[in-house]
Amino acid sequence: MKDCDAEGDEKEEICDENEEEAPMRRSFSVEDLLDEVEKICYDASGTSKVEMVVRLWKDGFTVNDGEFRSYTVPENQDFLDAIKRGELPSEWESRAEEEELEISVEDFTEETYVPKKKAFHPFSGRGYRLGSVAPRVVARSPSVHEDGESAPIPMVTLDHALPVTSLQIWLADGRRLIQRFNLSHRITDVKDFVTRCQRSCPPFVLTTSVPFRELSDQELSLEEADLANAVIVQRPLDTQAAFGHTS
């Protein structure tokens, strides 16, 4: 019986030793860390104080809400072992030379670590259309109000008792104007308006756009020439006409 009791005591002692030597993978002593961490307070004289918070979770730990570190990784185990011994972890030694480290440990070992959602920041950069190698640049006709060298738009006297129409006029310099006329106005009135819209105006003719038609009879009224809400194009006489037509 004595031999059995002695053998049983030896087995219990071996089990106790194995438990003490077992790596701190899952069942480590949080109390040990809390006790020993008070010894690790490195003061770099005259420097700012930095708080280092080690949070112990069910399956790993974090430092200052940084990246989650698993207990199963050897270097992470060495980190906790150093704190348990009341020593500064090796990865903090260089930092401790410049800053005062105030270390604390928080126990969350009953909880599983859940990563925090990253804050959403609205996109504020420049977008490009998919499928294009470079951003597409669309040229815009200069506005009369933006171009300081353009002549001011002349006034057109309207008789509101008579029918009124709007003409879309493309000038030779690329500007597009929309001007209202009475249907009783003549083509020569439109040509005079186009001339006064430009500081220098070489000889030109007026045409429609599509279908192309030169407005050669300038004494016709807009109604007679069927130009209600029409598109009128100024075409210089000495150059290739716009839209592929020649004068």
Side-chain angles (χ1 to χ4, degrees), residues 149-192:
E149 297 181 358
S150 300
I153 300 177
M155 293 288 294
V156 175
T157 304
L158 295 175
D159 186 347
H160 292 283
L162 298 175
V164 176
T165 186
S166 294
L167 296 183
Q168 184 178 155
I169 303 173
W170 283 93
L171 301 181
D173 60 10
R175 287 181 291 152
R176 181 178 69 91
L177 307 177
I178 297 178
Q179 181 60 48
R180 302 177 71 194
F181 292 88
N182 286 119
L183 286 176
S184 58
H185 276 107
R186 301 184 181 278
I187 294 176
T188 187
D189 297 322
V190 178
K191 187 171 184 180
D192 179 62

mmCIF file of all heavy atoms in Angstrom, residues 149-192:
data_model
loop_
_atom_site.group_PDB
_atom_site.id
_atom_site.type_symbol
_atom_site.label_atom_id
_atom_site.label_comp_id
_atom_site.label_asym_id
_atom_site.label_seq_id
_atom_site.Cartn_x
_atom_site.Cartn_y
_atom_site.Cartn_z
ATOM 1 N N GLU A 149 -11.941 89.135 -75.043
ATOM 2 C CA GLU A 149 -11.650 89.768 -76.310
ATOM 3 C C GLU A 149 -12.851 89.748 -77.245
ATOM 4 O O GLU A 149 -12.841 90.373 -78.295
ATOM 5 C CB GLU A 149 -10.459 89.069 -76.985
ATOM 6 C CG GLU A 149 -9.170 89.171 -76.181
ATOM 7 C CD GLU A 149 -8.015 88.501 -76.887
ATOM 8 O OE1 GLU A 149 -8.250 87.927 -77.972
ATOM 9 O OE2 GLU A 149 -6.889 88.558 -76.378
ATOM 10 N N SER A 150 -13.893 89.016 -76.913
ATOM 11 C CA SER A 150 -15.062 88.930 -77.771
ATOM 12 C C SER A 150 -15.901 90.189 -77.640
ATOM 13 O O SER A 150 -16.024 90.770 -76.557
ATOM 14 C CB SER A 150 -15.923 87.708 -77.405
ATOM 15 O OG SER A 150 -15.171 86.523 -77.558
ATOM 16 N N ALA A 151 -16.489 90.582 -78.742
ATOM 17 C CA ALA A 151 -17.358 91.757 -78.718
ATOM 18 C C ALA A 151 -18.641 91.422 -77.973
ATOM 19 O O ALA A 151 -19.089 90.276 -77.981
ATOM 20 C CB ALA A 151 -17.669 92.186 -80.151
ATOM 21 N N PRO A 152 -19.249 92.414 -77.312
ATOM 22 C CA PRO A 152 -20.508 92.156 -76.623
ATOM 23 C C PRO A 152 -21.612 91.806 -77.604
ATOM 24 O O PRO A 152 -21.592 92.218 -78.758
ATOM 25 C CB PRO A 152 -20.792 93.475 -75.902
ATOM 26 C CG PRO A 152 -20.041 94.501 -76.681
ATOM 27 C CD PRO A 152 -18.815 93.810 -77.180
ATOM 28 N N ILE A 153 -22.568 91.010 -77.125
ATOM 29 C CA ILE A 153 -23.682 90.620 -78.003
ATOM 30 C C ILE A 153 -24.555 91.834 -78.266
ATOM 31 O O ILE A 153 -25.037 92.482 -77.324
ATOM 32 C CB ILE A 153 -24.509 89.496 -77.367
ATOM 33 C CG1 ILE A 153 -23.628 88.272 -77.139
ATOM 34 C CG2 ILE A 153 -25.703 89.147 -78.224
ATOM 35 C CD1 ILE A 153 -24.335 87.139 -76.448
ATOM 36 N N PRO A 154 -24.785 92.156 -79.525
ATOM 37 C CA PRO A 154 -25.606 93.335 -79.844
ATOM 38 C C PRO A 154 -27.080 93.088 -79.541
ATOM 39 O O PRO A 154 -27.527 91.951 -79.454
ATOM 40 C CB PRO A 154 -25.373 93.523 -81.345
ATOM 41 C CG PRO A 154 -25.020 92.161 -81.846
ATOM 42 C CD PRO A 154 -24.266 91.493 -80.738
ATOM 43 N N MET A 155 -27.800 94.168 -79.361
ATOM 44 C CA MET A 155 -29.234 94.093 -79.098
ATOM 45 C C MET A 155 -30.000 93.874 -80.399
ATOM 46 O O MET A 155 -29.626 94.387 -81.454
ATOM 47 C CB MET A 155 -29.715 95.383 -78.444
ATOM 48 C CG MET A 155 -29.153 95.610 -77.046
ATOM 49 S SD MET A 155 -29.874 94.476 -75.840
ATOM 50 C CE MET A 155 -31.574 95.032 -75.850
ATOM 51 N N VAL A 156 -31.048 93.099 -80.316
ATOM 52 C CA VAL A 156 -31.961 92.900 -81.446
ATOM 53 C C VAL A 156 -33.336 93.380 -80.999
ATOM 54 O O VAL A 156 -33.883 92.875 -80.010
ATOM 55 C CB VAL A 156 -32.015 91.429 -81.880
ATOM 56 C CG1 VAL A 156 -33.073 91.242 -82.974
ATOM 57 C CG2 VAL A 156 -30.660 90.962 -82.382
ATOM 58 N N THR A 157 -33.866 94.377 -81.687
ATOM 59 C CA THR A 157 -35.172 94.935 -81.335
ATOM 60 C C THR A 157 -36.271 94.003 -81.786
ATOM 61 O O THR A 157 -36.333 93.613 -82.961
ATOM 62 C CB THR A 157 -35.363 96.321 -81.975
ATOM 63 O OG1 THR A 157 -34.285 97.180 -81.568
ATOM 64 C CG2 THR A 157 -36.686 96.941 -81.555
ATOM 65 N N LEU A 158 -37.105 93.610 -80.825
ATOM 66 C CA LEU A 158 -38.193 92.680 -81.124
ATOM 67 C C LEU A 158 -39.531 93.384 -81.022
ATOM 68 O O LEU A 158 -39.719 94.265 -80.181
ATOM 69 C CB LEU A 158 -38.162 91.490 -80.154
ATOM 70 C CG LEU A 158 -36.960 90.558 -80.216
ATOM 71 C CD1 LEU A 158 -37.054 89.520 -79.101
ATOM 72 C CD2 LEU A 158 -36.843 89.873 -81.565
ATOM 73 N N ASP A 159 -40.440 92.960 -81.863
ATOM 74 C CA ASP A 159 -41.832 93.386 -81.779
ATOM 75 C C ASP A 159 -42.616 92.205 -81.220
ATOM 76 O O ASP A 159 -42.867 91.220 -81.930
ATOM 77 C CB ASP A 159 -42.347 93.793 -83.164
ATOM 78 C CG ASP A 159 -43.754 94.375 -83.103
ATOM 79 O OD1 ASP A 159 -44.411 94.238 -82.036
ATOM 80 O OD2 ASP A 159 -44.203 94.931 -84.115
ATOM 81 N N HIS A 160 -42.980 92.286 -79.948
ATOM 82 C CA HIS A 160 -43.608 91.152 -79.297
ATOM 83 C C HIS A 160 -45.044 90.941 -79.734
ATOM 84 O O HIS A 160 -45.671 89.942 -79.361
ATOM 85 C CB HIS A 160 -43.540 91.325 -77.775
ATOM 86 C CG HIS A 160 -42.148 91.235 -77.247
ATOM 87 N ND1 HIS A 160 -41.473 90.045 -77.086
ATOM 88 C CD2 HIS A 160 -41.268 92.213 -76.875
ATOM 89 C CE1 HIS A 160 -40.260 90.259 -76.614
ATOM 90 N NE2 HIS A 160 -40.102 91.581 -76.480
ATOM 91 N N ALA A 161 -45.529 91.857 -80.523
ATOM 92 C CA ALA A 161 -46.868 91.665 -81.087
ATOM 93 C C ALA A 161 -46.824 90.737 -82.296
ATOM 94 O O ALA A 161 -47.870 90.265 -82.759
ATOM 95 C CB ALA A 161 -47.477 93.019 -81.473
ATOM 96 N N LEU A 162 -45.616 90.477 -82.802
ATOM 97 C CA LEU A 162 -45.444 89.622 -83.970
ATOM 98 C C LEU A 162 -44.792 88.305 -83.550
ATOM 99 O O LEU A 162 -44.169 88.208 -82.489
ATOM 100 C CB LEU A 162 -44.560 90.326 -85.009
ATOM 101 C CG LEU A 162 -45.117 91.640 -85.574
ATOM 102 C CD1 LEU A 162 -44.090 92.290 -86.496
ATOM 103 C CD2 LEU A 162 -46.435 91.401 -86.313
ATOM 104 N N PRO A 163 -44.901 87.246 -84.381
ATOM 105 C CA PRO A 163 -44.288 85.953 -84.041
ATOM 106 C C PRO A 163 -42.786 86.091 -83.836
ATOM 107 O O PRO A 163 -42.095 86.823 -84.554
ATOM 108 C CB PRO A 163 -44.608 85.083 -85.260
ATOM 109 C CG PRO A 163 -45.807 85.710 -85.872
ATOM 110 C CD PRO A 163 -45.662 87.179 -85.643
ATOM 111 N N VAL A 164 -42.265 85.356 -82.818
ATOM 112 C CA VAL A 164 -40.845 85.391 -82.462
ATOM 113 C C VAL A 164 -40.287 83.980 -82.557
ATOM 114 O O VAL A 164 -40.965 82.995 -82.243
ATOM 115 C CB VAL A 164 -40.647 85.947 -81.030
ATOM 116 C CG1 VAL A 164 -39.174 85.890 -80.625
ATOM 117 C CG2 VAL A 164 -41.162 87.373 -80.935
ATOM 118 N N THR A 165 -39.033 83.876 -83.007
ATOM 119 C CA THR A 165 -38.355 82.575 -83.072
ATOM 120 C C THR A 165 -36.942 82.705 -82.505
ATOM 121 O O THR A 165 -36.409 83.814 -82.412
ATOM 122 C CB THR A 165 -38.284 82.056 -84.520
ATOM 123 O OG1 THR A 165 -37.749 80.724 -84.528
ATOM 124 C CG2 THR A 165 -37.390 82.927 -85.384
ATOM 125 N N SER A 166 -36.354 81.574 -82.129
ATOM 126 C CA SER A 166 -34.978 81.558 -81.624
ATOM 127 C C SER A 166 -34.085 80.880 -82.651
ATOM 128 O O SER A 166 -34.377 79.759 -83.098
ATOM 129 C CB SER A 166 -34.889 80.809 -80.287
ATOM 130 O OG SER A 166 -35.584 81.497 -79.282
ATOM 131 N N LEU A 167 -32.986 81.560 -83.011
ATOM 132 C CA LEU A 167 -32.017 80.992 -83.942
ATOM 133 C C LEU A 167 -30.768 80.592 -83.160
ATOM 134 O O LEU A 167 -30.286 81.338 -82.297
ATOM 135 C CB LEU A 167 -31.639 81.999 -85.020
ATOM 136 C CG LEU A 167 -32.749 82.457 -85.968
ATOM 137 C CD1 LEU A 167 -32.173 83.402 -87.022
ATOM 138 C CD2 LEU A 167 -33.449 81.280 -86.623
ATOM 139 N N GLN A 168 -30.235 79.416 -83.484
ATOM 140 C CA GLN A 168 -28.965 78.966 -82.919
ATOM 141 C C GLN A 168 -27.890 79.262 -83.954
ATOM 142 O O GLN A 168 -27.914 78.710 -85.056
ATOM 143 C CB GLN A 168 -29.016 77.470 -82.607
ATOM 144 C CG GLN A 168 -27.777 76.950 -81.928
ATOM 145 C CD GLN A 168 -27.891 75.469 -81.593
ATOM 146 O OE1 GLN A 168 -26.879 74.786 -81.471
ATOM 147 N NE2 GLN A 168 -29.097 74.964 -81.454
ATOM 148 N N ILE A 169 -26.963 80.149 -83.591
ATOM 149 C CA ILE A 169 -25.988 80.656 -84.559
ATOM 150 C C ILE A 169 -24.594 80.200 -84.155
ATOM 151 O O ILE A 169 -24.115 80.505 -83.047
ATOM 152 C CB ILE A 169 -26.046 82.194 -84.643
ATOM 153 C CG1 ILE A 169 -27.474 82.640 -85.005
ATOM 154 C CG2 ILE A 169 -25.039 82.724 -85.661
ATOM 155 C CD1 ILE A 169 -27.669 84.150 -84.933
ATOM 156 N N TRP A 170 -23.910 79.481 -85.058
ATOM 157 C CA TRP A 170 -22.531 79.055 -84.836
ATOM 158 C C TRP A 170 -21.612 80.035 -85.565
ATOM 159 O O TRP A 170 -21.673 80.178 -86.782
ATOM 160 C CB TRP A 170 -22.304 77.652 -85.390
ATOM 161 C CG TRP A 170 -22.873 76.577 -84.514
ATOM 162 C CD1 TRP A 170 -24.100 76.005 -84.611
ATOM 163 C CD2 TRP A 170 -22.224 75.958 -83.401
ATOM 164 N NE1 TRP A 170 -24.283 75.073 -83.631
ATOM 165 C CE2 TRP A 170 -23.142 75.016 -82.869
ATOM 166 C CE3 TRP A 170 -20.974 76.111 -82.801
ATOM 167 C CZ2 TRP A 170 -22.828 74.233 -81.759
ATOM 168 C CZ3 TRP A 170 -20.669 75.331 -81.698
ATOM 169 C CH2 TRP A 170 -21.587 74.401 -81.189
ATOM 170 N N LEU A 171 -20.771 80.737 -84.780
ATOM 171 C CA LEU A 171 -19.836 81.684 -85.373
ATOM 172 C C LEU A 171 -18.579 80.964 -85.835
ATOM 173 O O LEU A 171 -18.256 79.865 -85.370
ATOM 174 C CB LEU A 171 -19.467 82.770 -84.363
ATOM 175 C CG LEU A 171 -20.631 83.596 -83.806
ATOM 176 C CD1 LEU A 171 -20.110 84.656 -82.843
ATOM 177 C CD2 LEU A 171 -21.440 84.232 -84.924
ATOM 178 N N ALA A 172 -17.844 81.614 -86.720
ATOM 179 C CA ALA A 172 -16.638 81.004 -87.288
ATOM 180 C C ALA A 172 -15.554 80.803 -86.229
ATOM 181 O O ALA A 172 -14.678 79.941 -86.394
ATOM 182 C CB ALA A 172 -16.108 81.865 -88.430
ATOM 183 N N ASP A 173 -15.594 81.571 -85.125
ATOM 184 C CA ASP A 173 -14.575 81.426 -84.077
ATOM 185 C C ASP A 173 -14.917 80.315 -83.081
ATOM 186 O O ASP A 173 -14.198 80.115 -82.109
ATOM 187 C CB ASP A 173 -14.361 82.754 -83.349
ATOM 188 C CG ASP A 173 -15.632 83.264 -82.673
ATOM 189 O OD1 ASP A 173 -16.632 82.512 -82.601
ATOM 190 O OD2 ASP A 173 -15.632 84.427 -82.210
ATOM 191 N N GLY A 174 -16.008 79.580 -83.325
ATOM 192 C CA GLY A 174 -16.353 78.449 -82.471
ATOM 193 C C GLY A 174 -17.425 78.741 -81.444
ATOM 194 O O GLY A 174 -17.920 77.827 -80.782
ATOM 195 N N ARG A 175 -17.801 80.006 -81.273
ATOM 196 C CA ARG A 175 -18.836 80.324 -80.298
ATOM 197 C C ARG A 175 -20.217 79.960 -80.818
ATOM 198 O O ARG A 175 -20.464 79.990 -82.021
ATOM 199 C CB ARG A 175 -18.794 81.819 -79.947
ATOM 200 C CG ARG A 175 -17.622 82.219 -79.077
ATOM 201 C CD ARG A 175 -17.677 83.697 -78.750
ATOM 202 N NE ARG A 175 -17.422 84.513 -79.937
ATOM 203 C CZ ARG A 175 -17.903 85.745 -80.108
ATOM 204 N NH1 ARG A 175 -18.672 86.282 -79.190
ATOM 205 N NH2 ARG A 175 -17.608 86.433 -81.199
ATOM 206 N N ARG A 176 -21.084 79.637 -79.865
ATOM 207 C CA ARG A 176 -22.481 79.331 -80.211
ATOM 208 C C ARG A 176 -23.378 80.325 -79.496
ATOM 209 O O ARG A 176 -23.311 80.479 -78.279
ATOM 210 C CB ARG A 176 -22.844 77.908 -79.793
ATOM 211 C CG ARG A 176 -24.279 77.507 -80.135
ATOM 212 C CD ARG A 176 -24.545 76.066 -79.734
ATOM 213 N NE ARG A 176 -24.555 75.913 -78.295
ATOM 214 C CZ ARG A 176 -25.647 76.020 -77.527
ATOM 215 N NH1 ARG A 176 -26.810 76.295 -78.092
ATOM 216 N NH2 ARG A 176 -25.564 75.856 -76.222
ATOM 217 N N LEU A 177 -24.198 81.005 -80.263
ATOM 218 C CA LEU A 177 -25.111 81.997 -79.711
ATOM 219 C C LEU A 177 -26.546 81.583 -79.992
ATOM 220 O O LEU A 177 -26.835 80.958 -81.016
ATOM 221 C CB LEU A 177 -24.860 83.383 -80.328
ATOM 222 C CG LEU A 177 -23.416 83.915 -80.274
ATOM 223 C CD1 LEU A 177 -23.337 85.260 -80.981
ATOM 224 C CD2 LEU A 177 -22.951 84.040 -78.836
ATOM 225 N N ILE A 178 -27.430 81.915 -79.086
ATOM 226 C CA ILE A 178 -28.861 81.718 -79.298
ATOM 227 C C ILE A 178 -29.514 83.088 -79.193
ATOM 228 O O ILE A 178 -29.436 83.744 -78.152
ATOM 229 C CB ILE A 178 -29.465 80.745 -78.267
ATOM 230 C CG1 ILE A 178 -28.830 79.361 -78.428
ATOM 231 C CG2 ILE A 178 -30.971 80.659 -78.429
ATOM 232 C CD1 ILE A 178 -29.330 78.339 -77.426
ATOM 233 N N GLN A 179 -30.119 83.514 -80.264
ATOM 234 C CA GLN A 179 -30.692 84.853 -80.336
ATOM 235 C C GLN A 179 -32.120 84.782 -80.861
ATOM 236 O O GLN A 179 -32.432 83.997 -81.745
ATOM 237 C CB GLN A 179 -29.834 85.761 -81.238
ATOM 238 C CG GLN A 179 -30.322 87.173 -81.358
ATOM 239 C CD GLN A 179 -30.361 87.881 -80.005
ATOM 240 O OE1 GLN A 179 -29.395 87.830 -79.248
ATOM 241 N NE2 GLN A 179 -31.499 88.518 -79.705
ATOM 242 N N ARG A 180 -32.968 85.634 -80.305
ATOM 243 C CA ARG A 180 -34.368 85.689 -80.719
ATOM 244 C C ARG A 180 -34.559 86.772 -81.787
ATOM 245 O O ARG A 180 -34.010 87.871 -81.688
ATOM 246 C CB ARG A 180 -35.265 85.960 -79.511
ATOM 247 C CG ARG A 180 -35.133 84.920 -78.413
ATOM 248 C CD ARG A 180 -35.991 85.278 -77.223
ATOM 249 N NE ARG A 180 -37.396 85.111 -77.512
ATOM 250 C CZ ARG A 180 -38.380 85.605 -76.748
ATOM 251 N NH1 ARG A 180 -38.083 86.312 -75.666
ATOM 252 N NH2 ARG A 180 -39.651 85.407 -77.089
ATOM 253 N N PHE A 181 -35.335 86.439 -82.782
ATOM 254 C CA PHE A 181 -35.697 87.352 -83.869
ATOM 255 C C PHE A 181 -37.200 87.234 -84.112
ATOM 256 O O PHE A 181 -37.813 86.202 -83.804
ATOM 257 C CB PHE A 181 -34.971 86.989 -85.173
ATOM 258 C CG PHE A 181 -33.478 87.214 -85.149
ATOM 259 C CD1 PHE A 181 -32.617 86.220 -84.690
ATOM 260 C CD2 PHE A 181 -32.936 88.418 -85.607
ATOM 261 C CE1 PHE A 181 -31.251 86.422 -84.672
ATOM 262 C CE2 PHE A 181 -31.564 88.614 -85.596
ATOM 263 C CZ PHE A 181 -30.720 87.620 -85.130
ATOM 264 N N ASN A 182 -37.758 88.296 -84.695
ATOM 265 C CA ASN A 182 -39.113 88.175 -85.244
ATOM 266 C C ASN A 182 -39.040 87.405 -86.550
ATOM 267 O O ASN A 182 -38.037 87.472 -87.269
ATOM 268 C CB ASN A 182 -39.716 89.547 -85.520
ATOM 269 C CG ASN A 182 -40.144 90.269 -84.250
ATOM 270 O OD1 ASN A 182 -39.641 91.339 -83.938
ATOM 271 N ND2 ASN A 182 -41.078 89.693 -83.511
ATOM 272 N N LEU A 183 -40.058 86.658 -86.855
ATOM 273 C CA LEU A 183 -40.087 85.963 -88.156
ATOM 274 C C LEU A 183 -40.105 86.945 -89.314
ATOM 275 O O LEU A 183 -39.785 86.588 -90.460
ATOM 276 C CB LEU A 183 -41.306 85.041 -88.231
ATOM 277 C CG LEU A 183 -41.215 83.757 -87.409
ATOM 278 C CD1 LEU A 183 -42.520 82.968 -87.494
ATOM 279 C CD2 LEU A 183 -40.050 82.890 -87.878
ATOM 280 N N SER A 184 -40.453 88.187 -89.019
ATOM 281 C CA SER A 184 -40.466 89.217 -90.065
ATOM 282 C C SER A 184 -39.075 89.796 -90.324
ATOM 283 O O SER A 184 -38.873 90.503 -91.323
ATOM 284 C CB SER A 184 -41.433 90.345 -89.683
ATOM 285 O OG SER A 184 -41.062 90.910 -88.441
ATOM 286 N N HIS A 185 -38.117 89.506 -89.415
ATOM 287 C CA HIS A 185 -36.743 89.943 -89.672
ATOM 288 C C HIS A 185 -36.228 89.255 -90.932
ATOM 289 O O HIS A 185 -36.620 88.133 -91.254
ATOM 290 C CB HIS A 185 -35.829 89.598 -88.495
ATOM 291 C CG HIS A 185 -35.865 90.616 -87.396
ATOM 292 N ND1 HIS A 185 -36.488 90.393 -86.201
ATOM 293 C CD2 HIS A 185 -35.353 91.884 -87.329
ATOM 294 C CE1 HIS A 185 -36.353 91.452 -85.407
ATOM 295 N NE2 HIS A 185 -35.670 92.374 -86.087
ATOM 296 N N ARG A 186 -35.322 89.946 -91.626
ATOM 297 C CA ARG A 186 -34.778 89.403 -92.859
ATOM 298 C C ARG A 186 -33.411 88.755 -92.592
ATOM 299 O O ARG A 186 -32.789 88.987 -91.559
ATOM 300 C CB ARG A 186 -34.667 90.509 -93.926
ATOM 301 C CG ARG A 186 -35.994 91.152 -94.242
ATOM 302 C CD ARG A 186 -35.909 92.162 -95.363
ATOM 303 N NE ARG A 186 -37.214 92.764 -95.598
ATOM 304 C CZ ARG A 186 -38.175 92.189 -96.335
ATOM 305 N NH1 ARG A 186 -37.960 91.018 -96.910
ATOM 306 N NH2 ARG A 186 -39.345 92.805 -96.506
ATOM 307 N N ILE A 187 -32.966 87.976 -93.561
ATOM 308 C CA ILE A 187 -31.663 87.305 -93.435
ATOM 309 C C ILE A 187 -30.556 88.336 -93.294
ATOM 310 O O ILE A 187 -29.570 88.121 -92.584
ATOM 311 C CB ILE A 187 -31.419 86.391 -94.652
ATOM 312 C CG1 ILE A 187 -32.428 85.240 -94.658
ATOM 313 C CG2 ILE A 187 -29.991 85.830 -94.635
ATOM 314 C CD1 ILE A 187 -32.341 84.336 -95.869
ATOM 315 N N THR A 188 -30.720 89.496 -93.936
ATOM 316 C CA THR A 188 -29.700 90.542 -93.809
ATOM 317 C C THR A 188 -29.594 91.046 -92.375
ATOM 318 O O THR A 188 -28.515 91.452 -91.936
ATOM 319 C CB THR A 188 -30.001 91.717 -94.767
ATOM 320 O OG1 THR A 188 -28.923 92.634 -94.730
ATOM 321 C CG2 THR A 188 -31.298 92.418 -94.411
ATOM 322 N N ASP A 189 -30.709 91.019 -91.624
ATOM 323 C CA ASP A 189 -30.662 91.411 -90.210
ATOM 324 C C ASP A 189 -29.834 90.406 -89.393
ATOM 325 O O ASP A 189 -29.096 90.789 -88.478
ATOM 326 C CB ASP A 189 -32.079 91.489 -89.651
ATOM 327 C CG ASP A 189 -32.918 92.563 -90.329
ATOM 328 O OD1 ASP A 189 -32.363 93.634 -90.646
ATOM 329 O OD2 ASP A 189 -34.126 92.322 -90.548
ATOM 330 N N VAL A 190 -29.972 89.135 -89.737
ATOM 331 C CA VAL A 190 -29.190 88.107 -89.040
ATOM 332 C C VAL A 190 -27.717 88.267 -89.371
ATOM 333 O O VAL A 190 -26.844 88.163 -88.490
ATOM 334 C CB VAL A 190 -29.682 86.702 -89.431
ATOM 335 C CG1 VAL A 190 -28.836 85.628 -88.738
ATOM 336 C CG2 VAL A 190 -31.149 86.521 -89.091
ATOM 337 N N LYS A 191 -27.424 88.557 -90.638
ATOM 338 C CA LYS A 191 -26.024 88.732 -91.029
ATOM 339 C C LYS A 191 -25.412 89.946 -90.346
ATOM 340 O O LYS A 191 -24.249 89.914 -89.910
ATOM 341 C CB LYS A 191 -25.932 88.877 -92.550
ATOM 342 C CG LYS A 191 -24.498 88.887 -93.062
ATOM 343 C CD LYS A 191 -24.437 88.811 -94.589
ATOM 344 C CE LYS A 191 -22.994 88.725 -95.058
ATOM 345 N NZ LYS A 191 -22.917 88.641 -96.545
ATOM 346 N N ASP A 192 -26.192 91.013 -90.199
ATOM 347 C CA ASP A 192 -25.699 92.203 -89.501
ATOM 348 C C ASP A 192 -25.429 91.872 -88.027
ATOM 349 O O ASP A 192 -24.438 92.339 -87.460
ATOM 350 C CB ASP A 192 -26.729 93.325 -89.632
ATOM 351 C CG ASP A 192 -26.292 94.581 -88.908
ATOM 352 O OD1 ASP A 192 -25.253 95.160 -89.281
ATOM 353 O OD2 ASP A 192 -26.985 94.964 -87.926
#
